[in-house]
Amino acid sequence: MQTGHHIAGWRHPGAQADAGVNFGHYAALAQKAEAAKFDAVFLADGVAVRSDNDQALARIARSDQFEPLTLLSALAAVTQRIGLIATASTSYHEPYNLARKFASLDQISGGRAGWNLVTSATTAEALNFNRSAQDAHGDRYRRAAEFHDVVVGLWDSWEDDAFVRDKESGIYLDPGKLHALHHQGAHFQVRGPLNVARSPQGRPVVVQAGASDEGRELAARTAEVIFVAHQTLEEGQRFYRSIKSRVQHYGRHPDDVKIMPGIFPVVGRTQAEAEAKFEQLQSLIDPVVGLSLLAGIAGELDLSAYPLDGPLPELPPTEGPQSRQRLLVDLARRDGLSIRQLYLKIAGARGHQQIVGTPQTIADQLQQWFEEGAADGFNIMGPWFPGGLDDFIELVLPELRRRGLFRTEYEGSTLREHLGLQRPEHPQALRRLQASRKIAA
C-alpha cells in the first residue's frame, strides 16, 4: 500500500501523501528494505478504483498508484538483491502476456521476480473489462488453475543452456532445447514457446493469498509462498498444518511452500509510545471510510443503513473474497464488536495480525509463531510510509538478529535463494538426467 497499510495512514504527519505517483518514494523504501536484508518488496494491486461511494473515495488514498510490473521493473534498476513480487490477476490477463512480462522482470532483475497469483473479486474490476459482473468464485479458481499451468509451461519453453550465441559457428540457439507448449484446455489454447529465455532462478516464484477451500487447494498444488491473514496462533497453526499436509498429496515437500502471515506492527520504545502512535492513526479514521472498508471485505455490502454502534448483521454469501469475509464475521462474533468497533479493529491490518508494542513484544510474537508451527516468515505491513518501515528496521530487526532469527547479510542473489526455495530444474533436462543415471546404473 503506497502510503502505508493503515486506511488513514496517508494523513499521518510523517506520511508521503503523494506516494502513489512518487517513484522516488518507492525507490527509497525498496533501498531501505534491501539495506535491512528483507527478502522482497511486495505490491498488492487491483485493476479498478474500488469505491462507488464518492464520500469514501474522496477520503481514501488508494486511487492513484503505478501498475506493479512497470514499477518493479524500474525498482530493479535501483536495487541489486531484494526480491520483487507483483500482484497480477488471472481474471483479466492472458497467460502468454503475463508469462512474458514476469519472465522479463525476472531477467532484468537477475532472478528476483515473484508473481502473486490472484483472481479478481470485485464488480468494479469486471466493469473495466467488458463484463457486467465478476465470474462466480469457483469459476474464477478453475480458470486460475489452468492459467497457472499455462504460465509455468511457458516459463519452461527453453532449457537453461538453449541460447549458445556462438559467433564462430553462427549458431545462436539449440532448437533441441526448445519446447513449445501446445496447450489445449477448457479456458486457453496456447502454442508457445515464450520469447524470453529462462532466468537465473529458473522461473519466477509463485505467490498466492487465497484461504478459501478452492484457494487452499490451488495453493497446495501450485504456490511457493502463501500470504495469509490469521488472528490467533491457533488459527495460524491449523492453516499451516493443513497446507503442509496438502502439498504432499501433490508430490511436493512441505518445505516447497513458505507460509507468511501478514503482520501489522506499530512499534514504540515503550508500550505507551506504541499505543500513542496507534491511537494517533485511529483518530484519523472517518466513519465513512471505515464503513467503506468493511463493505469491501464483506462482499460489496452496504452497511450504512445499520447503526454504527450496533452488531454486524448476518452477511449474505459472497462471490468476492470468501475467506476474508469469514474472518471478518468470526472476529466480530468472537469479540462482540459493533460495526464501529469492527472497522476500527481492521483499519490497519484488515484482518491480519495487529501488534502494538515494543520491539521485544513484537519479536516475541514473531518468534512464537515461527517456532510453534504457524509461519515460515512474515509479510510486514507498515502502518504508514516511510515511518512505519523505518521503525521496524531500526527497532525490531536488531532484536530479531540478537535472537538469531534474521539474517545480517544476503547469502544468495535470487528471490528463491532468499526464501530457501529450490531452483526448479527444467522438466526435459531433469528427465534426461534421470535417464542417464539409470543407464549408468
Side-chain angles (χ1 to χ4, degrees), residues 35-270:
K37 312 302 183 237
F38 274 61
D39 297 306
V41 171
F42 164 53
L43 297 178
D45 190 51
V47 287
V49 173
R50 293 296 183 93
S51 179
D52 290 328
N53 181 334
D54 286 347
Q55 291 296 311
L57 184 64
R59 293 165 170 79
I60 301 174
R62 295 284 189 268
S63 300
D64 56 341
Q65 61 197 68
F66 296 124
E67 189 281 317
L69 279 162
T70 306
L71 175 56
L72 290 185
S73 295
L75 291 178
V78 296
T79 57
Q80 288 78 45
R81 306 288 281 279
I82 195 164
L84 305 165
I85 302 173
T87 298
S89 171
T90 60
S91 302
Y92 303 123
H93 284 93
E94 286 294 316
Y96 193 95
N97 284 343
L98 187 142
R100 188 184 187 208
K101 290 175 182 179
F102 275 97
S104 297
L105 175 62
D106 213 26
Q107 286 283 4
I108 289 167
S109 64
R112 296 187 280 140
W115 169 34
N116 180 38
L117 185 163
V118 302
T119 70
S120 293
T122 69
T123 302
E125 291 170 294
L127 293 174
N128 287 338
F129 290 87
N130 202 34
R131 303 183 190 186
S132 58
Q134 60 179 308
D135 291 338
H137 188 271
D139 292 340
R140 295 201 310 272
Y141 271 93
R142 282 186 286 275
R143 175 186 166 96
E146 186 179 342
F147 194 112
H148 165 272
D149 294 346
V150 175
V151 167
V152 172
L154 289 169
W155 284 338
D156 285 336
S157 292
W158 304 93
E159 295 183 36
D160 293 312
D161 56 352
F163 291 91
V164 294
R165 304 185 184 97
D166 188 330
K167 293 182 179 180
E168 189 68 28
S169 68
I171 300 299
Y172 189 80
L173 63 87
D174 180 351
K177 295 185 177 180
L178 160 64
H179 305 282
L181 186 60
H182 298 296
H183 175 86
Q184 298 273 342
H187 298 91
F188 306 107
Q189 297 182 37
V190 182
R191 188 191 71 172
L194 195 66
N195 56 350
V196 182
R198 245 179 160 234
S199 88
Q201 66 170 349
R203 53 180 180 246
V205 173
V206 176
V207 182
Q208 289 181 40
S212 65
D213 287 340
E214 292 94 338
R216 291 187 191 206
E217 205 60 34
L218 181 63
R221 184 172 73 85
T222 66
E224 297 170 288
V225 174
I226 301 176
F227 291 149
V228 68
H230 292 305
Q231 286 293 306
T232 68
L233 174 65
E234 292 73 23
E235 290 173 1
Q237 290 170 325
R238 284 196 298 271
F239 181 86
Y240 190 95
R241 289 194 299 268
S242 171
I243 292 295
K244 297 289 185 173
S245 174
R246 289 188 193 211
V247 300
Q248 297 177 75
H249 296 316
Y250 293 101
R252 306 176 68 200
H253 191 278
D255 288 341
D256 290 344
V257 59
K258 307 298 181 183
I259 296 173
M260 300 177 68
I263 299 292
F264 176 87
V266 182
V267 193
R269 288 175 174 80
T270 65

Side-chain angles (χ1 to χ4, degrees), residues 386-417:
L389 178 62
D390 293 339
D391 285 348
F392 192 85
I393 291 172
E394 179 186 352
L395 300 172
V396 179
L397 287 188
E399 180 63 23
L400 292 174
R401 289 185 174 118
R402 187 184 66 79
R403 302 179 188 199
L405 294 170
F406 191 66
R407 67 171 66 89
T408 56
E409 292 294 338
Y410 289 116
E411 296 179 4
S413 60
T414 70
L415 179 55
R416 290 185 179 279
E417 289 172 319

